[in-house]
């Protein structure tokens, strides 16, 4: 992809988050809920535990509002928070003060960040925002210390895209529950009630002027059926760079919108929709 196109995509993301960053945590019930936070905490604790000598130094690539950074700080890690969005970076500075260093990225590579420095590079829900999400792996390898770990998380796996898979079934089951919910106010069951919701009108007007708003409101790039993060390509490049993939874990993400018992039922059946991967740069 030409560099100019990549820069335009990054600029679009920055523009989108200039507005969306304030509502980011409210708009992501699939991240900011106790179950997902607990899972993330466990994964990060495991990664931190794999670092040979402490205290570890981490790069939080695409820090957002500081989801991963907050967890890493609690685990005693020194964090550099990096992002393309100046809005998120000022939010992170307000939130953590001098507790973290912040770095503004160009969104294409990690120029300005030193070679062989970080014990951990974490990218949670970020790869799909990066125009060349395979090329960035070369840069991650460059800034990793020998023996350091890259932690990639919260990107959908192949199961997510299957038309006849368990994820589609789960979505249907969630929708059915909403329709069946008791009580007089149920716009899922009585569609006419939707005309009484002011935000629906605001959304309809917004979509008229900005048709991409619904799905592209945060400048997502690789989140479409025809263009999504392909884990097989990620693995291939990591192998090519000489990194050893240590963990691949598929999981069913929990969203605060799901009835918990339904989510548990599908998770226990082995249904998954997301992946986390940890790979190590060899020590020598
Ligand atoms: C979905 S948010 C995830 C934020 C955070 N990691 C979290 O756990 O909530 C995506 C983040 O990636 C950042 N981002 C977008 N394009 C990027 C790029 N090309 N390189 C690095 N970060 C990027 C956004 O500004 C945003 O902070």
């Amino acid at each position: 992809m030409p560099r100019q196109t990549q820069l335009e995509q990054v600029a679009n993301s920055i523009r989108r988050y200039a507005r969306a960053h304030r509502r980011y945590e409210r708009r992501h019930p699939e991240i900011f809920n106790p179950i997902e936070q607990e899972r993330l905490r466990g994964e990060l604790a495991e990664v931190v535990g794999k670092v040979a000598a402490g205290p570890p130094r981490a790069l939080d690539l695409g820090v957002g509002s500081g989801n991963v950074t907050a967890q890493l700080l609690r685990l005693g890690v020194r964090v550099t928070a990096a992002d393309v969005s100046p809005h998120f970076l000022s939010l992170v500075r307000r939130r953590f003060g001098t507790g973290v260093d912040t770095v503004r990225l160009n969104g294409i590579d990690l120029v300005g960040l030193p070679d062989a420095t970080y014990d951990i590079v974490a990218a949670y829900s970020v790869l799909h925002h990066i125009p060349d999400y395979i090329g960035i792996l070369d840069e991650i390898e460059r800034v990793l210390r020998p023996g350091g770990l890259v932690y990639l998380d919260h990107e959908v796996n192949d199961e997510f895209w299957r038309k006849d898979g368990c994820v589609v079934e789960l979505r249907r089951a969630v929708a059915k529950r909403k329709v069946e919910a008791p009580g007089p106010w149920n716009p899922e069951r009585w569609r006419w009630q939707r005309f009484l919701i002011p935000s629906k009108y605001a959304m309809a007007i917004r979509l008229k002027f900005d048709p991409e708003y619904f799905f592209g409101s945060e400048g997502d790039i690789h989140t479409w059926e025809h263009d999504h993060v392909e884990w097989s390509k990620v693995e291939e490049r990591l192998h090519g760079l000489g990194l050893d993939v240590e963990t691949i874990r598929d999981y069913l993400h929990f969203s605060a919108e799901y009835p918990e018992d339904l989510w548990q039922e599908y998770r226990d059946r082995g249904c998954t929709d997301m992946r986390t991967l940890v790979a190590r740069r060899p020590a020598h």
Side-chain angles (χ1 to χ4, degrees):
M1 192 193 296
R3 190 176 169 89
Q4 189 52 32
T5 314
Q6 293 189 40
L7 287 170
E8 281 162 17
Q9 289 180 331
V10 173
N12 180 48
S13 176
I14 294 170
R15 222 175 13 251
R16 299 283 178 171
Y17 274 121
R19 241 198 245 157
H21 79 283
R22 290 191 204 93
R23 301 184 300 273
Y24 176 71
E25 300 200 358
R26 257 179 292 142
R27 284 188 56 154
H28 288 281
E30 81 288 6
I31 299 178
F32 299 96
N33 69 73
I35 293 179
E36 173 55 11
Q37 289 295 308
E38 187 58 38
R39 190 200 63 82
L40 174 60
R41 186 171 313 131
E43 292 289 354
L44 289 173
E46 196 176 312
V47 171
V48 171
K50 283 170 181 253
V51 174
R57 237 184 122 172
L59 176 70
D60 184 358
L61 175 57
V63 60
S65 62
N67 177 36
V68 170
T69 288
Q71 301 262 14
L72 287 171
L73 290 173
R74 269 182 234 120
L75 290 164
V77 177
R78 274 174 62 198
V79 182
T80 298
D83 210 293
V84 293
S85 158
H87 305 93
F88 270 137
L89 288 174
S90 21
L91 194 154
V92 162
R93 278 191 290 270
R94 283 199 301 277
R95 182 169 174 192
F96 301 106
T98 51
V100 296
D101 298 327
T102 53
V103 172
R104 174 121 185 236
L105 300 171
N106 65 16
I108 293 173
D109 49 36
L110 301 181
V111 77
L113 290 174
D115 292 355
T117 300
Y118 301 100
D119 300 292
I120 299 166
V121 176
Y124 174 105
S125 192
V126 174
L127 278 194
H128 63 268
H129 282 274
I130 302 182
D132 183 0
Y133 72 91
I134 297 295
I136 201 75
L137 299 171
D138 301 18
E139 281 289 90
I140 291 177
E141 188 265 351
R142 175 181 70 75
V143 301
L144 269 180
R145 208 179 251 180
L149 296 144
V150 53
Y151 169 78
L152 306 173
D153 195 357
H154 215 75
E155 296 292 344
V156 297
N157 64 11
D158 290 349
E159 186 63 33
F160 177 87
W161 298 105
R162 272 187 48 198
K163 294 264 185 304
D164 56 349
C166 62
V167 180
V168 175
E169 234 184 82
L170 170 61
R171 258 187 242 133
R172 274 199 209 112
V174 170
K176 189 161 172 278
R177 278 282 180 92
K178 283 187 184 161
V179 170
E180 288 167 358
W185 176 254
N186 187 340
E188 299 299 323
R189 188 182 327 177
W190 294 294
R191 297 176 73 87
W192 60 265
Q193 289 184 346
R194 295 179 194 186
F195 291 105
L196 306 177
I197 305 174
S199 61
K200 297 265 181 207
Y201 294 97
M203 179 60 95
I205 294 167
R206 178 165 261 170
L207 286 173
K208 206 165 172 50
F209 291 100
D210 185 1
E212 276 184 16
Y213 180 77
F214 194 69
F215 289 111
S217 61
E218 296 187 359
D220 292 350
I221 302 171
H222 309 289
T223 47
W224 316 101
E225 199 174 350
H226 66 278
D227 174 8
H228 57 266
V229 169
E230 291 182 55
W231 281 103
S232 55
K233 290 189 181 162
V234 169
E235 265 190 83
E236 196 182 319
R237 179 61 73 101
L238 292 173
H239 285 306
L241 289 165
L243 271 75
D244 301 316
V245 174
E246 294 197 349
T247 316
I248 292 181
R249 215 167 265 150
D250 286 329
Y251 60 97
L252 184 64
H253 88 274
F254 177 74
S255 172
E257 291 161 329
Y258 294 166
E260 203 173 321
D261 63 314
L262 259 189
W263 170 77
Q264 268 165 2
E265 181 191 321
Y266 277 76
R267 183 202 56 186
D268 295 349
R269 275 166 48 180
C271 185
T272 67
D273 60 358
M274 292 223 177
R275 174 166 288 188
T276 176
L277 179 152
V278 178
R280 192 187 289 274
R281 182 179 174 182
H284 306 290

